[in-house]
Amino acid sequence: MNSIYPGYALRCIRKTIKAADSALSRGLASPTAFDFVSRTDDHVPFENALQQDSRQVFQFPWMPSESPATTREFDTDPPLIINDSLTTRAPKFRSVDAISGEVSDLISTTKACVHVGRYERAATLMQRLNTIYKTDAPALLSAHNEYIRELSWKITSTRDQQLLRDVQSWFEVDMRGQGIIPNALTYALLIQVSLQDVSGSKSNRSLRRYLHLAEEAGLKNAVNNAMITVLNEQDLGRVTRLGTPEPLPIQPESISRPEDAPSVAPKLTTELELPGVRPVDSKLAGLKALRHSLSLFSDPMASTNPTEGAGDENSDSQDLERQLRIEQDTFESAIERWRADNEQLKRIGINSSLKDHAIGALMWDWLQVLEPAIEKEIELAKEAEGKILKKAEDEDRCHYGPFLQYLPPKKLSAVTILTCLASFGATRTGDSGTPITHMVMKIANAIQNESMISFYSRRNGRDHPSRKTPDSSGTYGPGARPKQRLGASKDSPGSKLATDLSSRTFDAREWSTAIKVRIGAVLLSKLLESAKVLVRRKHPQTGEFVEETQPAFLHQYRYNAGRRVGMLSMNSAMHERVSNEPLAATLTQHFLPMVVKPKPWAGFRDGGFLTGNEPMVRLHQADEQGRRYCSVAVANDDMTQVASGLDVLAKTPWKINAPVLEVMLEVWNSGEGIGEIAPYNPDLELPPEPIGEDKAERARYISELKRIGNLKAGLRSQRCYQNFQLEIARAYLNETFYFPHNTDFRGRAYPMSPLLSYMGSDLPRGMLLFGIGKELGPSGLRWLKIHLANLYGYDKASFEERVVFVESHLSDISDSATQPLKGSRWWLGAEDPWQCLATCKELHNALTSPDPQRYVTNLAIHQDGTCNGLQHYAALGGDSMGARQVNLEPGDRPSDIYTGIAEIVKQDIHNEAMQGSEVAKVLEGKVSRKVVKQTVMTNVYGVTFMGAKLQIMKQLKELYPNSFLWTDAVNRGVAASYIAKKTFKALANLFNGAHDIQYWLGDCAGRIATAVTPEQMQRIEAATAGTLDEQTEYRRTPLKRKTDRGHKDVLLSFKQSVIWTSPLRMPVVQPYRQQSSHVIETKLQRITVSNPSLADPVDKRKQLSAFPPNFIHSLDATHMILSALECEKQGLTFAAVHDSFWTHPGDVDTMNGILRDMFIKMHSEDIIGRLRAEFALRYRGCMYATSVKGKSKVGRKIRKWRTKANSHLSPRPSKKQTMINELLQERRRLKLLASDKAEERKEGEDMVTAYSIFEASAGEDALADEQALSDVLLGQTSPARENKLQADEQLAIGDEDNIDPSDTFPQQDVPVQNPIDDKTISTESMATKVVEVDDEQRSKTEASSAQTKQQGSEAKIWFWRPLTFPPVPKRGDFDVSRIGKSQYFFS
């Protein structure tokens, strides 16, 4: 256990007694009810696993009594199920006096108003909620609890007695007096308030009253549990000693107010500032390596090395202080750096805006203009609140004004500047631009994150007079007392707790998208007005140099596929500076590794960075369902092994490889392009302009100009990105540091330091070493040689041949190690040159040492899976042929799936060339392993046909730059389409078992995505019968949303996401839904934002096509976590990049054994059988819509029956009504058939429905195939793809759609579910749509007509049937235990 976290052992131990009721009312409850289902029936989906309930005795894996690396057997517990199919969209009410009608906005704005001292505004907002909700609405009680919580913290911080009285009065008058019934948390917070009363007698009287009221309400035990989470040790003891003698209760009438009196609006009697963070002693303030580059702290101090003075509590404390300074003071330190740069230039009489001087001084100039602009905006927002008649801009300011006051204007300015500048470097966009909406959200997210860090660090800070309390999302600051484990309280059943926790829609740390858009837009608009740069250019006519002050950032519009897109680009002069100058002044803590071990994960938002706001599972803001599942799973301790695995990765120490970094810096400073380092001034010769009017020749000229321009811009952006990486590496030289980790929604782990990490490219990997060294030992030298051969690209030979390869190049290796730039540069011929150079130096040092086996190395050796996704598929399907191709079967030499596929493709091409195919003749001899590798690698993870085509086009362009030109009959697009089809076909032939598993997964997903739940059917039945109870928790009628027009049929919407549980009990929820949107007017432009909700129907095609790859991702994530835990248990240093596992050379053999054992352990279980059982339990009682071919025998029968059944109805029912009628009819038939009464069963047997006709006339093979299923299968192309392929082969010369992917507007790196999904309102408007249209989307558009015709020729007849799942495909004869003998399984 790490000694630098005071009280952490106590916190982890107390995690076993989480207070049950403290989970209640952490935020707004959902407008509809949710049920947590803990199945108690006899059906256990994981019947083959151990019959042991691991939840009976709970311990965190990092607790002292259990090894951090303990791996448990797969759990037999039923999966977590949250019934949310009846979710309705969060209501919107009419905005009054600039008070938003969005309930979640009201709560977060109230919280902000209290924090910044705007108590009257906060009280007004609460009164608005009282008019919206009924008094018994859970959401209203949650809102009041949040309000009291914020005021409680203010009182605890300031001891303001008038504010204390106001809160007590608010409880009596505005809560109890209004009929709002308090819960346990309410009383716990009021007790916390009363403890701050300086009058002892009044304090004790209030305490007894609240305890008495709680006991009268039957909440005594729940309040005791809630107080554990709210009070500190001293206060808890005082309340315990006080006891609960019968008090003389205070009569509410004694403090009531007249009906016409205004509500109590708490006010501070004096202006009191919150206590600041305790200053850190100057001798503790600094990182030695950052002194000259980042200069985060004022005074340097030698850093602590884990190998020196380990266990020294003083050094641990110093490291902790330094890390806190990095996380908390970065923006302030940045401002001081800018100020210092500016003052230095002033001392020598230089204007800081000049082009050739420090970028920090330039940002200081920006700050001087931006800060007063923001101050003025805040003042205008305050004035707007007091206006009786508000204009549109006043209402806008009322919405975002309180949030701008979380941080001082100077810090707001610094965050805006740094985020904007760093975003251009981090995303490599540069002068090519980034969508305005993306930048707006990045700035807003940075402001939100910094605001919450500042807020909770002050609340939970070391100087705070009270103990730490959980926030609205149930997390704690350092030293906090954790909650009792959910489900442990006898008074509060676990299912109820999980219901309340899962159903909340309000997260105190998450601002709504609408708020963030407004905040980001106003700050970005101020930056655009403030940021200027001096540009010095040569006049084209006079030849003189002209200086001009220009905006540093440009807001422009571009057209993309007919849509007008607002873009933010950087001035080319500014971009050139960012690409080449030192960037110390632009780095923030969000990009930096940690100088202490990251905080172990102890909650959904409790881990990683010491003061961070990041969750354990990184979920998109739109993924409300995934957030519910993961937060409940964490609270129920289901994800302890996932958390433990992340902690193993996080506590692996790292350091910078100084000799390699020295070479990198030499190359960088020379401007030469070596390895991945982009050249400073790339030598790109422009083609001569053609003479004459040959249109084809001029088109080639224009295309070449565009290619060179794109290449130059790309290199400039790449150099900018690398500048950040080198700057961080220089800063951390001689430091030992760590990478905190979290996971994506599938469980795949990622470092939380995005710019510099071992998950990067060859450049950052080459400069990183383990922070702790180990001797090579007997086998380490051999693995060092094998590793070098792998990096050089000689990784298809046997291990012995790889060793021979390295030994035959020892002179080249020695030359590379001793004179990397002045020698023969042998290392530059490697596939990964910088990692190769690092290994050359390490091998040279080992061989020249007195005893190579005793040589201590810090180098990490990689062991990579052979197309790991196919390895999982082959194991799942027992596919012997596929297993041999991916090294699951033992062999003397490694199998290479990429070479195997390439050979099959080449043979197919040869055969068709002999038959006269023109395309095959051109391609013969031009297909290699490299051409098909990426497509084979990504096919298993769901790459589309067009994606595969683009991958192959890229390889053809690199290998044959002067061939397959767009003027050729067989251009690059035609050739890539042809090769992609052959590659898919080869994969299907080699992996039959995997093909069957993929089809089964896709089939299950398709059924789930078209299902309705029993709850939906019951509600439809009641609505049809007119007995639907439309009870609501609202007093007022919500406004009807325009965005709901496309989802009017709420009852019959398909809302079921594909959800499954990984072997580590992590719930995986696919987030793909159809999203509505709405327009927000901002100072920059009209921005259309998505409006995601669980009420939205799922996107069936995405749910289906994404499930197979996502499921495999969850399995490789499980394998990695299991391996990490076991490696930690056996004392190995461990790191991983998905399916690439790293350790010291001397430990590779041990790690390889662990990798095999964990893979065998996983696949010895019936994973697919367990998945099917989970689906049967999770979706039990659902009905789904399926279809048969219209021309089939059963299809004709159903059509005839349907026509006859509807013939007597007048008017004829619509398709929607027909679907509802037949759904209810089938539901009734099934109920009758399941009846215990013979007459009812007979009635059910006599009923005729579409499904009964199907049962009597056909089997499963009569069902129509899902069109989207072909998209998920190995080696399959959909009819749309076939049509596109045929079209490609018949393209006329000059069709630009298949010229080059670089011709398409560059795709931004954004998540699938983007919070900003702008849609064009009109060409003349300022609205934008950030929907990047790539060649794949264009392909779908071109093929739509052909696809529609095909679908029309094969009309389908739909009908309802119970949701069942097809039998699991028959497993092949491959014995997974044979992997234990395969030396090339990972190599």
Side-chain angles (χ1 to χ4, degrees), residues 824-846:
S824 63
R825 298 189 176 187
W826 175 82
W827 60 279
L828 284 177
E831 287 187 358
D832 299 301
W834 290 111
Q835 294 176 80
C836 177
L837 177 61
T839 310
C840 286
K841 287 181 174 292
E842 204 70 9
L843 181 59
H844 173 76
N845 293 340

Side-chain angles (χ1 to χ4, degrees), residues 792-1034:
Y792 207 82
Y794 193 75
D795 55 347
K796 311 306 173 294
S798 66
F799 288 144
E800 290 71 23
E801 290 170 337
R802 298 182 212 182
V803 171
V804 171
F805 168 81
V806 170
E807 291 178 344
S808 65
H809 289 88
L810 288 179
S811 59
D812 295 323
I813 294 168
S814 177
D815 176 73
S816 298
T818 56
Q819 44 183 1
L821 298 179
K822 297 179 181 179
S824 63
R825 298 189 176 187
W826 175 82
W827 60 279
L828 284 177
E831 287 187 358
D832 299 301
W834 290 111
Q835 294 176 80
C836 177
L837 177 61
T839 310
C840 286
K841 287 181 174 292
E842 204 70 9
L843 181 59
H844 173 76
N845 293 340
L847 293 176
T848 55
S849 67
D851 183 358
Q853 290 192 18
R854 301 295 302 275
Y855 177 74
V856 176
T857 180
N858 295 68
L859 192 71
I861 302 300
H862 312 168
Q863 295 290 281
D864 300 343
T866 306
C867 199
N868 189 239
L870 286 174
Q871 287 181 323
H872 283 288
Y873 267 126
L876 289 172
D879 193 337
S880 296
M881 181 182 297
R884 286 193 294 272
Q885 296 297 323
V886 290
N887 292 310
L888 298 188
E889 281 280 10
D892 296 331
R893 298 181 61 81
S895 295
D896 180 26
I897 179 63
Y898 310 115
T899 300
I901 295 295
E903 291 300 321
I904 294 175
V905 171
K906 286 194 286 186
Q907 185 60 48
D908 272 0
I909 291 174
H910 173 73
N911 293 340
E912 292 193 5
M914 296 297 293
Q915 297 171 8
S917 170
E918 295 299 326
V919 178
K921 289 178 181 179
V922 174
L923 286 173
E924 192 164 18
K926 289 185 171 61
V927 174
S928 63
R929 177 184 185 274
K930 185 176 182 181
V931 171
V932 302
K933 178 180 178 180
Q934 188 179 10
T935 299
V936 174
M937 185 186 306
T938 56
N939 183 273
V940 69
Y941 292 124
V943 68
T944 62
F945 180 79
M946 186 50 76
K949 173 183 170 181
L950 294 177
Q951 292 169 349
I952 294 173
M953 287 175 70
K954 179 181 177 182
Q955 298 301 327
L956 291 176
K957 181 178 179 180
E958 291 180 1
L959 294 173
Y960 310 105
N962 298 319
S963 300
F964 306 111
L965 301 178
W966 69 277
T967 53
D968 297 336
V970 180
N971 60 38
R972 202 167 285 138
V974 173
S977 296
Y978 182 90
I979 297 172
K981 182 179 180 182
K982 297 297 181 186
T983 303
F984 280 20
K985 178 182 175 182
L987 277 168
N989 292 335
L990 277 180
F991 291 88
N992 291 325
H995 180 279
D996 294 340
I997 293 293
Q998 275 192 315
Y999 188 92
W1000 184 87
L1001 293 172
D1003 191 6
C1004 290
R1007 298 184 182 202
I1008 293 169
T1010 54
V1012 293
T1013 65
E1015 293 79 15
Q1016 284 179 281
M1017 289 185 279
Q1018 183 177 359
R1019 193 169 178 84
I1020 293 172
E1021 200 170 47
T1024 303
T1027 60
L1028 181 63
D1029 184 4
E1030 293 288 0
Q1031 288 186 355
T1032 175
E1033 59 182 346
Y1034 306 111

Side-chain angles (χ1 to χ4, degrees), residues 1319-1384:
K1319 295 184 178 179
T1320 303
I1321 305 302
S1322 67
T1323 305
E1324 295 77 16
S1325 73
M1326 297 287 282
T1328 63
K1329 177 176 176 66
V1330 184
V1331 177
E1332 308 302 339
V1333 181
D1334 57 14
D1335 282 347
E1336 178 186 356
Q1337 292 169 303
R1338 185 177 291 113
S1339 171
K1340 292 177 182 177
T1341 302
E1342 292 171 350
S1344 61
S1345 59
Q1347 185 175 355
T1348 302
K1349 290 179 181 178
Q1350 180 170 356
Q1351 291 175 342
S1353 63
E1354 297 181 4
K1356 298 176 182 178
I1357 301 297
W1358 65 267
F1359 64 95
W1360 294 102
R1361 67 178 300 199
L1363 178 55
T1364 58
F1365 298 95
V1368 174
K1370 184 178 180 181
R1371 187 182 176 91
D1373 58 0
F1374 173 67
D1375 182 3
V1376 72
S1377 65
R1378 291 178 58 79
I1379 297 173
K1381 299 179 181 179
S1382 174
Q1383 60 179 328
Y1384 297 107

Side-chain angles (χ1 to χ4, degrees), residues 1008-1012 1016 1052-1056 1073 1096-1098 1183-1185 1219 1360:
I1008 293 169
T1010 54
V1012 293
Q1016 284 179 281
L1052 204 57
S1053 295
F1054 298 131
K1055 300 180 181 180
Q1056 294 300 294
R1073 292 182 178 272
D1096 295 331
V1098 296
M1183 204 92 72
Y1184 82 104
M1219 292 186 72
W1360 294 102

Side-chain angles (χ1 to χ4, degrees), residues 330-357:
T330 302
F331 290 106
E332 290 81 356
S333 299
I335 293 171
E336 291 304 315
R337 292 198 300 273
W338 301 348
R339 190 203 312 272
D341 287 346
N342 184 68
E343 290 178 352
Q344 182 179 1
L345 292 181
K346 283 184 176 179
R347 282 196 297 269
I348 59 178
I350 297 178
N351 185 344
S352 60
S353 64
L354 291 179
K355 175 180 180 293
D356 298 326
H357 294 284

Side-chain angles (χ1 to χ4, degrees), residues 105-118 122 125 150 154 399-406 452 455 511:
D105 288 354
L106 283 173
I107 299 299
S108 53
T109 307
T110 301
K111 189 181 183 75
C113 287
V114 172
H115 177 65
V116 302
R118 312 291 294 176
L125 293 170
E150 295 305 309
K154 281 282 187 181
H399 290 148
Y400 64 71
F403 298 90
L404 292 180
Q405 299 173 57
Y406 266 106
M452 293 300 98
F455 176 75
W511 300 341

Side-chain angles (χ1 to χ4, degrees), residues 1217-1234:
Q1217 190 58 49
T1218 300
M1219 292 186 72
I1220 291 177
N1221 293 342
E1222 292 188 16
L1223 175 65
L1224 298 181
Q1225 190 178 23
E1226 186 59 47
R1227 173 180 167 84
R1228 182 169 182 273
R1229 186 179 80 91
L1230 294 176
K1231 280 185 176 180
L1232 291 172
L1233 291 176

